[in-house]
Amino acid sequence: MNPFKFGTIVDGIFFTDRISETALLEQKLDSENHIILISPRRFGKSSLVQKVTSQTARHCINLDLQYVMSIDDFAAQLLKAVFKIFPIEKLRHLMKHFRVVPTISTNAITGVVEISFQPTSNATILLEDAMSLIDKITSSTNRLIIVLDEFQEVIKIGKGFDKILRSIMQKQKNLNYILLGSQESMMEAIFEKKSSPFYHFGQIIRLTKIPHVDFLNYITSRMPEGFEFVANEILDFTLCHPYYTQQLSAQVWDNIKYRDIKDKIVETSIKMLVAMHDLDYERLWQNLNRTDRLTLRLLAEAKLPLQNRSKAVSTTYSSLLRLMKSGYVVKVEQYEIEDPFFKRWILQNIN
Ligand SMILES: Nc1ncnc2c1ncn2[C@@H]1O[C@H](COP(=O)(O)OP(=O)(O)O)[C@@H](O)[C@H]1O
Ligand SMILES: [Mg+2]
């Protein structure tokens, strides 16, 4: 079986490193404090949190705010997540005081519980009631963990949602929140701006790429015998980005095992992956404005002029901010194009 995995949460043999981060998260979960975990997309936040939470015997609720449409929807999704852990029968008596009684139905085929509320003009009471159920199911002996992914979306969900949520969370005990976010500047504004309701809500932990030595060992030990040498070339291309490193390693492994490619294995694999995504990249490129295209081109060629303070620089800078917001550019030690295959595609097409 291919020993490399990408795209979904990784655990077990697919998971590497993150030793100090794991220890830090465990330590925080062993306190009344909350955790804020920030990194660009696909750096491994979900995988790390899944690893840490699954190692405890504690109940854990996961919600991705990207898929929450409104305050009512948040309340409904929260209840739905609670019913995944505790059977509804056991919770009925805890919901007697609900001011708006939710309609709960079970899909006869999938067994999935669906929740809906009568329309109300006051979504705050739905949120308060749903959160009061959380207080009842958590205890000092089994402290609940609530993971909210893509937390920066909190400000888009509904008017005043962040304020109400924070004021409810403020009073809760016996639980930990882990708030994940992939948009650094928005996460910083939420947790570090004095005027924000979530100012200093918890400790901010930044997840970086996986260290070169760890990834090198990881790849080397998994490649077929005699092909260990590919590891360095893979990392030179992916710059240790967790997702793209696994993706390219998986492709290289397949090419060695099934396609009997012996010469220029890594380069061939890169070309195959770039070709596979050609259509996506072309579409993506078409949707960018000229300034952003130029910025990406300069980044790809490592010619970005950020040294002097000319007007061109400030235009480039606002373009960089825009590209970071949409995830095409990340700042690690310096600005880089997030997807190394897209970078290669740009270089192939501009010359
Ligand atoms: N600790 C790790 N060891 C090996 N690969 C990892 C690790 N963390 C992440 N990855 C790679 O990155 C991909 C994205 O990880 P994920 O946890 O979904 O990131 P995020 O939640 O930050 O978007 C995974 O599918 C895997 O290929
Ligand atoms: Mg994730």
Side-chain angles (χ1 to χ4, degrees):
M1 212 176 84
N2 195 313
F4 300 100
K5 185 178 167 185
F6 58 95
T8 47
I9 285 175
V10 286
D11 55 10
I13 58 152
F14 299 107
F15 190 94
T16 181
D17 188 58
R18 304 299 195 206
I19 295 162
S20 60
E21 292 92 342
T22 304
L24 183 57
L25 289 192
E26 283 169 347
Q27 181 198 328
K28 292 288 151 205
L29 288 178
D30 221 0
S31 75
E32 277 290 300
N33 301 308
H34 306 300
I35 299 162
I36 297 139
L37 188 60
I38 306 179
S39 84
R41 276 168 210 285
R42 300 171 173 181
F43 265 40
K45 295 179 295 299
S46 301
S47 301
L48 173 64
V49 167
Q50 161 84 18
K51 183 187 173 198
V52 173
T53 54
S54 66
Q55 279 171 358
T56 70
R58 295 164 62 179
H59 292 304
C60 184
I61 285 178
N62 267 286
L63 280 191
D64 190 332
L65 297 196
Q66 237 180 147
Y67 306 116
V68 173
M69 303 304 159
S70 58
I71 301 178
D72 322 18
D73 193 30
F74 182 87
Q77 289 201 35
L78 194 65
L79 291 180
K80 196 171 157 177
V82 171
F83 297 143
K84 270 194 196 150
I85 308 175
F86 302 96
I88 300 173
E89 298 71 48
K90 288 201 168 163
L91 297 177
R92 277 217 169 92
H93 69 286
L94 297 176
M95 294 166 63
K96 281 201 182 117
H97 68 282
F98 271 33
R99 285 162 287 180
V100 179
V101 180
T103 309
I104 304 170
S105 58
T106 311
N107 184 306
I109 296 163
T110 60
V112 174
V113 173
E114 292 302 337
I115 315 262
S116 59
F117 290 105
Q118 290 295 321
T120 164
S121 54
N122 187 355
T124 309
I125 59 173
L126 305 181
L127 183 63
E128 286 170 353
D129 288 353
M131 291 290 266
S132 71
L133 186 62
I134 297 287
D135 295 336
K136 290 180 181 135
I137 58 168
T138 191
S139 70
S140 59
T141 47
N142 193 335
R143 299 169 60 247
L144 191 66
I145 300 170
I146 302 184
V147 183
L148 301 178
D149 211 339
E150 301 299 348
F151 189 77
Q152 70 273 343
E153 300 279 323
V154 73
I155 52 174
K156 295 185 201 157
I157 287 172
K159 198 165 170 278
F161 177 58
D162 56 345
K163 257 198 199 116
I164 308 161
L165 193 62
R166 172 68 212 250
S167 69
I168 300 172
M169 283 160 122
Q170 179 111 345
K171 296 176 201 121
Q172 291 178 309
K173 280 198 268 310
N174 297 323
L175 82 175
N176 296 104
Y177 281 97
I178 307 181
L179 309 177
L180 312 184
S182 54
Q183 286 198 23
E184 198 163 353
S185 58
M186 288 171 80
M187 287 295 276
E188 277 167 3
I190 292 171
F191 296 104
E192 292 179 342
K193 248 199 193 147
K194 274 206 174 123
S195 56
S196 161
F198 279 91
Y199 177 65
H200 281 185
F201 181 70
Q203 181 176 347
I204 296 185
I205 300 171
R206 280 171 218 275
L207 199 61
T208 54
K209 291 176 179 176
I210 291 173
H212 193 272
V213 277
D214 292 294
F215 242 158
L216 195 67
N217 280 332
Y218 178 87
I219 302 169
T220 308
S221 64
R222 281 164 178 77
M223 282 296 168
E225 221 182 308
F227 289 93
E228 294 84 355
F229 65 91
V230 295
N232 261 315
E233 201 181 333
I234 289 174
L235 291 171
D236 284 349
F237 180 80
T238 64
L239 304 173
C240 292
H241 188 298
Y243 173 89
Y244 298 110
T245 304
Q246 292 259 26
Q247 185 181 31
L248 181 54
S249 301
Q251 186 70 35
V252 170
W253 194 90
D254 276 349
N255 283 343
I256 296 169
K257 280 277 178 186
Y258 303 122
R259 297 194 185 81
D260 203 29
I261 296 169
K262 295 256 156 36
D263 203 31
K264 293 191 178 163
I265 308 162
V266 177
E267 185 50 33
T268 308
S269 308
I270 293 169
K271 288 213 173 91
M272 288 168 88
L273 284 167
V274 172
M276 251 183 253
H277 292 115
D278 185 57
L279 193 62
D280 302 326
Y281 293 149
E282 197 176 322
R283 234 178 248 146
L284 201 159
W285 191 254
Q286 277 169 1
N287 286 325
L288 293 167
N289 65 37
R290 295 209 165 263
T291 319
D292 292 354
R293 286 183 193 173
L294 181 65
T295 306
L296 284 171
R297 177 181 169 165
L298 293 171
L299 265 180
E301 295 178 309
K303 283 186 198 158
L304 201 69
L306 280 175
Q307 288 78 359
N308 55 42
R309 289 172 169 268
S310 64
K311 185 151 179 277
V313 172
S314 72
T315 318
T316 310
Y317 188 67
S318 41
S319 161
L320 272 177
L321 290 183
R322 204 161 42 235
L323 290 164
M324 286 213 287
K325 208 166 170 197
S326 42
Y328 298 132
V329 169
V330 293
K331 192 171 181 206
V332 186
E333 269 123 53
Q334 40 192 316
Y335 296 102
E336 47 189 64
I337 295 176
E338 189 260 352
D339 177 352
F341 298 101
F342 183 39
K343 177 176 164 185
R344 172 60 77 86
W345 182 90
I346 295 170
L347 289 172
Q348 270 176 21
N349 285 283
I350 55 176
N351 295 316

